[in-house]
Amino acid sequence: AWELFAVKYVFSDWNELPIPSDIVDQGVDRFGAINLHELENPRPFAQIMFDARIAENHEVAMQLLQDPAINLRSTLILENEASLSADESGAASAEVTYFAPESIEIQTNSPADGLLSVALVYYPGWRAEIDSQQVPILRANGALSAIELPAGDHQVTFTYQPLSFTIGAAISLIGWAGLLAFLAVWGISELRHAK
C-alpha cells in the first residue's frame, strides 16, 4: 500500500521498517516512543507509464497486484481498456506543480503516448483535463486513477467537483432566493399596513 499510494513518510514505533528507510525524527506519544521514517525510494505521486495489464474485473486486478513478477513501477494494472500503442522510447516526466485537496496540476512531458498514473483514489466526483480538455479517468491498481496521455508537453489538471456539491449549492441558492423574496414581500406588506 505504501508503494501504490506514493507514501514518503511513515510514523511507527518500529526502529526498522520492512523496506529501506531512515529515521528523520523521534518523539513520544501517549503510547510511548514513536519514529518518523522517510522511505528511501518512494513512488512518485504522478508517473508516466508505458506498460499496462488489463484485468477483467476488480478481483483479477487485486490478484495481479499481488503478483511478485509484475513491477508496479513500470506496469499499470487497469480495469478499463486503454489505447496504449507505443512502447517507452525515451525519458518521460510528470511534475506536480500545484497540490490542494480538491485540485492537482501536473506538468507532463512524454516522448510517446502513455498512461499517467496518479496516487489519487479513484472516486466519483473527480474529473481530469489535459490542456483544458476533459478526458476519462481510468481505474488503476485496484483503487487509484490514471489517464491516457498523448505524447508531448501537457498541463494535466485533476479537480474534485462532485455532483452532490453542485446539487447542494443549487438548493442553497434557491433557498436563499426564496427567503429574500419572502422578506421582500413581507416588508412591502408591512409598509402598506403601517400607512
Side-chain angles (χ1 to χ4, degrees):
W2 294 342
E3 173 70 15
L4 293 177
F5 286 98
V7 172
K8 185 174 182 179
Y9 296 98
V10 175
F11 279 109
S12 174
D13 58 352
W14 298 354
N15 288 324
E16 191 173 316
L17 296 178
I19 60 175
S21 65
D22 296 316
I23 294 176
V24 294
D25 203 358
Q26 296 178 311
V28 177
D29 67 7
R30 64 184 181 168
F31 301 108
I34 191 162
N35 299 313
L36 176 61
H37 297 264
E38 181 177 10
L39 305 186
E40 286 185 10
N41 186 20
R43 175 196 188 276
F45 178 81
Q47 179 179 8
I48 299 173
M49 304 175 88
F50 299 95
D51 184 29
R53 298 275 301 269
I54 308 300
E56 303 87 58
N57 55 48
H58 186 68
E59 290 75 27
V60 173
M62 298 310 288
Q63 291 171 357
L64 290 171
L65 287 171
Q66 301 298 322
D67 186 346
I70 297 176
N71 180 352
L72 296 175
R73 289 272 177 120
S74 61
T75 302
L76 197 59
I77 309 298
L78 292 176
E79 294 179 38
N80 314 74
E81 287 291 332
S83 58
L84 184 63
S85 59
D87 292 328
E88 182 175 4
S89 59
S93 65
E95 178 186 355
V96 177
T97 56
Y98 178 77
F99 190 96
E102 296 165 348
S103 180
I104 301 165
E105 295 177 6
I106 305 165
Q107 187 65 43
T108 65
N109 177 281
S110 180
D113 293 350
L115 295 161
L116 178 63
S117 171
V118 184
L120 176 68
V121 174
Y122 180 83
Y123 191 75
W126 281 99
R127 54 182 280 172
E129 294 181 348
I130 299 175
D131 301 327
S132 301
Q133 298 296 315
Q134 188 169 353
V135 295
I137 297 176
L138 308 172
R139 186 174 184 152
N141 292 339
L144 300 177
S145 301
I147 61 169
E148 294 184 52
L149 184 70
D153 293 323
H154 300 286
Q155 178 72 30
V156 177
T157 305
F158 285 86
T159 309
Y160 186 62
Q161 296 177 329
L163 181 60
S164 59
F165 177 81
T166 305
I167 292 171
I171 291 171
S172 295
L173 185 60
I174 292 168
W176 278 107
L179 177 63
L180 291 175
F182 170 77
L183 290 175
V185 169
W186 178 76
I188 291 170
S189 167
E190 287 296 313
L191 286 174
R192 286 185 182 160
H193 284 77
K195 290 182 179 180

